[in-house]
Amino acid sequence: MAQSDKTNGSGDGEEHQGPVIRDNRRIDPETGEVRDPKAAETAAEADGTAGAEETIEVPDTPETVVTEAINADERVVELTNDIKRVQAEYANYRKRVERDRVAVREVATAQVVGELLPILDDIGRAREHDELTGGFKAVGEALESVATKLGLERYAEAGEEFDPNLHEALTLVPAPDVSVQTVIEVFQPGYRIGERILRPARVVVGDPVEGAAAGSDETGGSANGDAAASSDGGEETDGG
């Protein structure tokens, strides 16, 4: 009993000196960063572990392990950049394939609808002559509806401005009542799908006449002057 009390009493005021483990690894296992050996020794001395009676040292990390760790980090960065580059190339590839697919579809649609243009012309002429009746009318309207759903658009009307990109001028006639070249008659309507012209409109173009208005004014003024002169002369004759 006395011995036990002595042991407890002696442990109250004395600092227990146990084994101290020094971690000399150059790479911190928690942060993955390279340690500074001098800083570690300074920290150990500040903690009072430098004078410990029993010390267990952890062997230093070999230089090859440190080099491999650094190379592994660089390899990870390189592979990450490669993955980003491959993703960007794949995104561009998908956009290019989608664009080509749309272009191929438009070309195929334009070829099919282009073969129907003569039939649509016949339907239009029959409508103008009131011959689109009965079953022929139903078939013609159904065909025009299908062509419209495929994106076919008919254009060209008398009175619109002439555009050489849209119209084909069959003839050019003087037109004193217009200020710019204008479509005055449509021989054959044009058709397009989107921005693609399947067939330009064949039209008669009215060409503005330069000086027509000025000549008209001069002619009017001359006629009025002649009329006034004739009136004066008649009065003098009567008076004589």
Side-chain angles (χ1 to χ4, degrees):
M1 231 18 219
Q3 184 178 0
S4 176
D5 295 340
K6 183 179 180 181
T7 304
N8 294 335
S10 63
D12 293 339
E14 296 181 0
E15 182 180 359
H16 178 70
Q17 296 293 337
V20 178
I21 299 176
R22 291 184 180 178
D23 189 355
N24 293 331
R25 288 176 291 183
R26 298 184 61 183
I27 297 179
D28 193 332
E30 296 181 356
T31 62
E33 299 179 353
V34 180
R35 293 175 173 174
D36 186 359
K38 295 181 179 180
E41 292 178 359
T42 303
E45 292 176 357
D47 294 340
T49 59
E53 298 179 357
E54 186 176 357
T55 303
I56 301 176
E57 295 185 357
V58 179
D60 188 11
T61 304
E63 187 69 24
T64 56
V65 176
V66 176
T67 304
E68 291 177 358
I70 296 175
N71 294 337
D73 292 339
E74 295 177 353
R75 184 59 177 167
V76 169
V77 174
E78 182 180 354
L79 292 176
T80 303
N81 293 334
D82 291 342
I83 292 175
K84 292 180 179 179
R85 182 170 57 254
V86 171
Q87 289 178 341
E89 292 177 355
Y90 179 67
N92 294 333
Y93 169 76
R94 290 186 59 184
K95 293 179 181 178
R96 184 170 61 254
V97 170
E98 181 65 20
R99 184 172 59 251
D100 295 342
R101 186 174 64 86
V102 172
V104 170
R105 184 175 64 248
E106 290 180 352
V107 171
T109 303
Q111 291 178 349
V112 173
V113 176
E115 299 295 331
L116 300 177
L117 296 186
I119 302 175
L120 296 176
D121 290 337
D122 294 338
I123 294 174
R125 283 190 290 267
R127 181 180 288 109
E128 292 175 357
H129 294 84
D130 295 330
E131 296 178 356
L132 192 64
T133 59
F136 179 53
K137 178 180 180 181
V139 173
E141 291 178 350
L143 182 60
E144 289 177 338
S145 177
V146 171
T148 301
K149 290 180 180 179
L150 292 175
L152 183 65
E153 180 185 358
R154 177 176 175 173
Y155 69 92
E157 297 290 341
E160 65 185 19
E161 185 177 349
F162 173 74
D163 187 349
N165 297 320
L166 303 176
H167 307 102
E168 178 183 348
L170 299 179
T171 182
L172 189 67
V173 297
D177 56 341
V178 297
S179 58
V180 294
Q181 291 186 339
T182 306
V183 176
I184 59 177
E185 185 178 354
V186 179
F187 279 167
Q188 191 177 53
Y191 288 97
R192 60 190 172 191
I193 294 181
E195 300 297 330
R196 184 187 298 273
I197 302 298
L198 300 183
R199 188 183 70 187
R202 298 177 178 178
V203 298
V204 176
V205 180
D207 192 30
V209 178
E210 296 181 359
S216 177
D217 294 340
E218 291 176 359
T219 303
S222 175
N224 293 334
D226 292 341
S230 299
S231 176
D232 294 341
E235 291 177 355
E236 291 177 358
T237 303
D238 293 339

